[in-house]
Amino acid sequence: MVHVFPRGWRPGRAASLAAFALVGGLLLAAAPSLPAKDTEKKDDQPKDLGPLPSWPQLPHPTMTIVGKDGQPAPKKIQDAVAFINQKLEETWKSEKVVPSRYADDYEFIRRATLDIIGRIATPEEIDQYTKDGSAKRSKLIERLLSDKDGEYSKHWANMWSNWLLSRSGVFGRGEYHDEMALWLEDQFASNTPYDKIVRGLLTASGENTKNGAVNFLLAHVGEQVSTKDDPEAVKKDGHFQMVPVTSRITRLFLGTQVQCAQCHDHPFYNNIKQKDFWGINAFLRQVDRKGTPPDPANGKMMAKPGPLTLEDDTGVNAEAKVYYEKRNGVVQIARAEFLPGEEDKRGRPMGEDGKPLQGIKRREALADYVIEHPMFPKAFVNRTWGVFFGRGFVNPVDDFNDQNKPSVPELLDELAVRFKNEFSYDQKDLIRCICNSNAYSLSCVANVTNASQDKEVLFSRMVLKSMSPEQLFESLVVATKAESGESKDAKKKAKEDWLDKLIGNFGDDEGNEVNFNGTIVQALMMMNGGDINDAISRADKGTVALAMKKSGGDKPSAVVRELFLATLNREPTSKEVAAITAKFNLVRPKLEAEDHTKPERKYQDLLWALVNSNEFLLNH
């Protein structure tokens, strides 16, 4: 179902009557991508949830999995895909769940393009895709991963910048955020292995204008150590308390939320005690920051904040220990010591002389312990799986604990082992395996066996995913061919303005990862946004103008087809075309009476309705 809202005021004129008429036509259109919420038959739900795929075989629509050169993919990729398919099929059978039908080619190209490079596909890309033959899905995946135009690296750099720095505060937006994104973009463009990226983040030093990676630690140093009651406090405890980054490191890279152990033993992880939180914290107590970031809370934000420098001060916290207080008021000491690893082994940053490591070597030891920890590859696989399936094996993706077990543990464990040992932490190899799997090609339309929410953890159908603000911006630029997208600087400025409005309207938490779901606020902002209306009304190179030119003039069915491809990445059904063109005939006299020189007006209203539809806003 394509749900839309009446078009709001355009700059300089009232809302078009055509939009209201088009709403009725579009609401008749049945889009097969929205699943039923449950299996109970109600008047407002489909009576038939679709045919069940036959057992025992579920042939993948790609048929052949190809590699970068168009030849059959390496054996390690094919074996991993086969294992995913096998393990999920075994799980479905044991749970008496039948997977949904396969998504059609239009659904797949839109889904994969959004997930891998962060925007919807263009009509030209759809045309190329449909000509690729039996291995079109696998070829598409390789084409997107090739990063020909830098879109893959920019998209993943953007996601990781938000995860590392959050969306709030001085590091969540602006220069510091951009510096981090540029550093990450270089890493993804060169396909730097994931373990090396993390090592670079944890051991980064220098000025942030020259090494954007330092912004990760600088963003989360927390409160300065006070010397009010103890003049020697800085020498003993370090310059900053480093509390926020302590928990962020384990959440992001180990999927473990140790912040719960800051004040008491972890309530859901039996082997994490309060001393473990402060033991990790002690690795970071020699970090120092030169320069002071602006404080938005005090109204001291500036357009271009000054540079910051991260360095290690070996003159403080030489003993690598932290004093912390138990709930009963007893003060105890935690020495630098990492979480248990294999066989319950813990790591301490000790030199050959038996004394704690100093300076950068202490953070290098921290990086070693993080990367060597058994949760390191598992957490990344879970997070990446969550990007593509809308949820991880463990959900939230950064909260593994004794009460939150993986839904398909054997699959998660095996993929983690392969990611580390066979793929050598190559993110693209992991993406290849996920996107070539049977499960990734499944429709989000439920059947009678998998419609309930508790079945989502089995991945027998795709879960609907809201676009992120960045995906929505990039997709609107593609769909409307907005003029702001033609210049790098103009696009950056337009994107900053868009995010200011969108994130400001939605708000944000205190650095936690969030999903931005469509709301009335978002709908109203999109409907009445001058930028969107300007792009839709663009007379020269806009989507409507080009669609009319390609169709040879005002040919409703042909233009409607082009607008559907440009926005929803699919062709309209015959029922949709008939309903829309019928509404065109009803409102055409009114349009001509208002301005008979603009036959494109009705198509502009249709384009506006499509980009405001649920089907456009969701990745399905």
Side-chain angles (χ1 to χ4, degrees), residues 519-538:
T519 66
I520 296 298
V521 175
Q522 180 186 28
L524 289 172
M525 192 183 73
M526 289 188 66
M527 283 188 293
N528 296 292
D531 293 338
I532 293 176
N533 278 313
D534 289 343
I536 288 172
S537 304
R538 189 178 179 190

Side-chain angles (χ1 to χ4, degrees), residues 54 57-63 102 438:
S54 60
Q57 297 297 322
L58 279 173
H60 189 277
T62 299
M63 303 298 289
Y102 283 118
N438 285 348

Side-chain angles (χ1 to χ4, degrees), residues 252-375:
L252 285 169
F253 307 134
L254 302 181
T256 305
Q257 298 195 15
V258 298
Q259 71 269 19
C260 295
Q262 179 182 345
C263 302
H264 51 77
D265 293 345
H266 201 296
F268 304 123
Y269 230 134
N270 294 329
N271 65 335
I272 296 181
K273 308 301 181 184
Q274 188 178 0
K275 70 179 181 65
D276 295 323
F277 177 92
W278 294 106
I280 299 171
N281 180 267
F283 281 86
L284 301 161
R285 283 300 184 110
Q286 289 190 327
V287 167
D288 192 15
R289 181 188 70 199
K290 300 301 182 185
T292 303
D295 185 359
N298 296 331
K300 295 180 180 179
M301 283 293 291
M302 56 188 72
K304 188 176 180 62
L308 304 174
T309 299
L310 186 154
E311 58 186 34
D312 297 272
D313 184 355
T314 58
V316 302
N317 193 241
E319 296 183 12
K321 61 184 182 183
V322 176
Y323 295 86
Y324 67 96
E325 186 175 341
K326 300 284 288 185
R327 276 187 161 181
N328 59 10
V330 175
V331 175
Q332 295 190 350
I333 298 174
R335 300 184 184 279
E337 185 176 63
F338 201 65
L339 297 175
E342 298 289 356
E343 301 177 359
D344 202 36
K345 292 180 180 178
R346 295 172 181 265
R348 285 188 174 182
M350 309 299 288
E352 294 181 359
D353 57 1
K355 296 181 179 180
L357 293 174
Q358 304 296 319
I360 186 66
K361 291 183 178 180
R362 193 183 297 183
R363 288 195 287 128
E364 289 173 348
L366 173 63
D368 289 338
Y369 295 136
V370 169
I371 292 167
E372 292 167 4
H373 197 278
M375 284 301 300

Side-chain angles (χ1 to χ4, degrees), residues 219-494:
H220 310 293
V221 295
E223 297 181 8
Q224 287 184 295
V225 171
S226 173
T227 58
K228 180 179 179 180
D229 298 323
D230 181 3
E232 297 293 314
V234 169
K235 184 176 182 179
K236 180 178 62 177
D237 298 328
H239 295 278
F240 294 91
Q241 294 184 4
M242 305 303 290
V243 167
V245 75
T246 300
S247 58
R248 190 162 288 267
I249 285 171
T250 62
R251 284 177 56 191
L252 285 169
F253 307 134
L254 302 181
T256 305
Q257 298 195 15
V258 298
Q259 71 269 19
C260 295
Q262 179 182 345
C263 302
H264 51 77
D265 293 345
H266 201 296
F268 304 123
Y269 230 134
N270 294 329
N271 65 335
I272 296 181
K273 308 301 181 184
Q274 188 178 0
K275 70 179 181 65
D276 295 323
F277 177 92
W278 294 106
I280 299 171
N281 180 267
F283 281 86
L284 301 161
R285 283 300 184 110
Q286 289 190 327
V287 167
D288 192 15
R289 181 188 70 199
K290 300 301 182 185
T292 303
D295 185 359
N298 296 331
K300 295 180 180 179
M301 283 293 291
M302 56 188 72
K304 188 176 180 62
L308 304 174
T309 299
L310 186 154
E311 58 186 34
D312 297 272
D313 184 355
T314 58
V316 302
N317 193 241
E319 296 183 12
K321 61 184 182 183
V322 176
Y323 295 86
Y324 67 96
E325 186 175 341
K326 300 284 288 185
R327 276 187 161 181
N328 59 10
V330 175
V331 175
Q332 295 190 350
I333 298 174
R335 300 184 184 279
E337 185 176 63
F338 201 65
L339 297 175
E342 298 289 356
E343 301 177 359
D344 202 36
K345 292 180 180 178
R346 295 172 181 265
R348 285 188 174 182
M350 309 299 288
E352 294 181 359
D353 57 1
K355 296 181 179 180
L357 293 174
Q358 304 296 319
I360 186 66
K361 291 183 178 180
R362 193 183 297 183
R363 288 195 287 128
E364 289 173 348
L366 173 63
D368 289 338
Y369 295 136
V370 169
I371 292 167
E372 292 167 4
H373 197 278
M375 284 301 300
F376 181 70
K378 192 178 296 186
F380 182 81
V381 169
N382 187 61
R383 179 179 291 274
T384 305
W385 188 275
V387 169
F388 289 94
F389 284 95
R391 61 170 300 126
F393 298 101
V394 166
N395 209 56
V397 295
D398 59 358
D399 194 14
F400 284 77
N401 63 67
D402 295 335
Q403 310 301 317
N404 194 22
K405 300 293 186 180
S407 58
V408 192
E410 298 88 353
L411 178 53
L412 173 59
D413 291 346
E414 181 63 23
L415 284 178
V417 169
R418 294 183 187 227
F419 178 56
K420 175 182 178 180
N421 297 333
E422 296 183 20
F423 302 165
S424 300
Y425 291 112
D426 186 325
Q427 174 177 278
K428 287 187 178 181
D429 277 350
L430 181 61
I431 293 174
R432 289 183 176 97
C433 296
I434 291 173
C435 293
N436 277 294
S437 69
N438 285 348
Y440 188 71
S441 273
L442 294 175
S443 167
C444 66
V445 178
N447 61 48
V448 293
T449 72
N450 67 4
S452 59
Q453 188 173 2
D454 65 308
K455 301 299 184 184
E456 290 180 0
V457 299
L458 304 178
F459 310 106
S460 63
R461 64 177 173 87
M462 183 57 67
V463 176
L464 290 172
K465 298 171 287 188
S466 297
M467 286 194 203
S468 69
E470 294 83 5
Q471 285 176 318
L472 190 52
F473 173 82
E474 297 291 347
S475 297
L476 283 169
V477 169
V478 169
T480 63
K481 298 189 183 299
E483 188 173 7
S484 60
E486 296 178 359
S487 161
K488 183 177 179 180
D489 291 339
K491 185 176 182 180
K492 181 180 179 181
K493 177 63 168 58

Side-chain angles (χ1 to χ4, degrees), residues 113-277:
T113 306
L114 271 168
D115 285 343
I116 297 176
I117 65 172
R119 62 165 174 80
I120 61 173
T122 66
E124 294 76 18
E125 289 167 339
I126 296 172
D127 184 58
Q128 179 181 0
Y129 170 69
T130 57
K131 296 175 181 177
D132 273 341
S134 61
K136 62 168 67 75
R137 299 194 180 194
S138 190
K139 290 179 181 177
L140 170 69
I141 294 164
E142 290 302 324
R143 196 155 52 240
L144 296 172
L145 288 174
S146 70
D147 205 22
K148 180 181 178 182
D149 297 318
E151 291 181 290
Y152 161 81
S153 54
K154 288 178 182 177
H155 174 54
W156 286 86
N158 173 73
M159 283 197 296
W160 270 100
S161 294
N162 290 334
W163 292 335
L164 291 163
L165 302 179
S166 85
R167 295 179 183 273
S168 58
V170 66
F171 285 88
R173 304 293 303 282
E175 291 292 326
Y176 299 151
H177 196 279
D178 291 346
E179 289 160 359
M180 171 63 78
L182 285 173
W183 183 84
L184 286 166
E185 191 176 327
D186 287 341
Q187 307 306 304
F188 288 116
S190 58
N191 200 29
T192 301
Y194 174 64
D195 60 328
K196 289 183 171 56
I197 292 177
V198 172
R199 185 178 299 280
L201 290 166
L202 296 180
T203 63
S205 296
E207 188 176 301
N208 58 359
T209 58
K210 300 175 182 177
N211 181 9
V214 300
N215 285 310
F216 171 55
L217 293 181
L218 293 178
H220 310 293
V221 295
E223 297 181 8
Q224 287 184 295
V225 171
S226 173
T227 58
K228 180 179 179 180
D229 298 323
D230 181 3
E232 297 293 314
V234 169
K235 184 176 182 179
K236 180 178 62 177
D237 298 328
H239 295 278
F240 294 91
Q241 294 184 4
M242 305 303 290
V243 167
V245 75
T246 300
S247 58
R248 190 162 288 267
I249 285 171
T250 62
R251 284 177 56 191
L252 285 169
F253 307 134
L254 302 181
T256 305
Q257 298 195 15
V258 298
Q259 71 269 19
C260 295
Q262 179 182 345
C263 302
H264 51 77
D265 293 345
H266 201 296
F268 304 123
Y269 230 134
N270 294 329
N271 65 335
I272 296 181
K273 308 301 181 184
Q274 188 178 0
K275 70 179 181 65
D276 295 323
F277 177 92

